[in-house]
């Protein structure tokens, strides 16, 4: 299994937009242990997807890594 990187953010956003999420068919993305290696991708996706009300981001983060999360 491969892991998405910040350089993959545009592809992820395009994929989600192409699915046309709506109230009857929302999309959720789940991140486990957002830390130094995942915070950049999280921050990009949170910024790029904030205008889509039917897209949900859920992530877990350790308290010591909370400062890495901009959104």
């Amino acid at each position: 299994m491969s892991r998405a990187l910040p350089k993959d953010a545009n592809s992820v956003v395009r994929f989600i937009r192409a699915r046309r999420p709506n109230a009857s068919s929302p999309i959720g993305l789940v991140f486990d242990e957002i830390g130094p290696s995942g915070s950049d991708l999280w921050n990009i996706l949170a910024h790029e997807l904030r205008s889509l009300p039917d897209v949900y981001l859920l992530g877990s983060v350790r308290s010591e890594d909370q400062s890495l999360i901009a959104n």
Side-chain angles (χ1 to χ4, degrees):
M1 181 200 266
S2 65
R3 225 177 149 164
L5 301 170
K7 67 179 182 139
D8 302 317
N10 286 333
S11 295
V12 173
V13 170
R14 280 195 315 270
F15 177 82
I16 290 170
R17 288 184 186 274
R19 299 299 167 277
R20 296 187 179 158
N22 58 61
S24 63
S25 185
I27 293 178
L29 300 175
V30 178
F31 285 68
D32 186 28
E33 289 193 38
I34 302 168
S37 65
S39 62
D40 289 337
L41 179 60
W42 171 273
N43 289 329
I44 293 167
L45 292 176
H47 177 75
E48 293 296 320
L49 298 172
R50 82 174 66 194
S51 65
L52 300 175
D54 299 307
V55 174
Y56 301 93
L57 297 177
L58 175 67
S60 65
V61 63
R62 294 180 181 180
S63 60
E64 61 267 20
D65 293 332
Q66 285 180 344
S67 63
L68 300 172
I69 304 301
N71 299 302

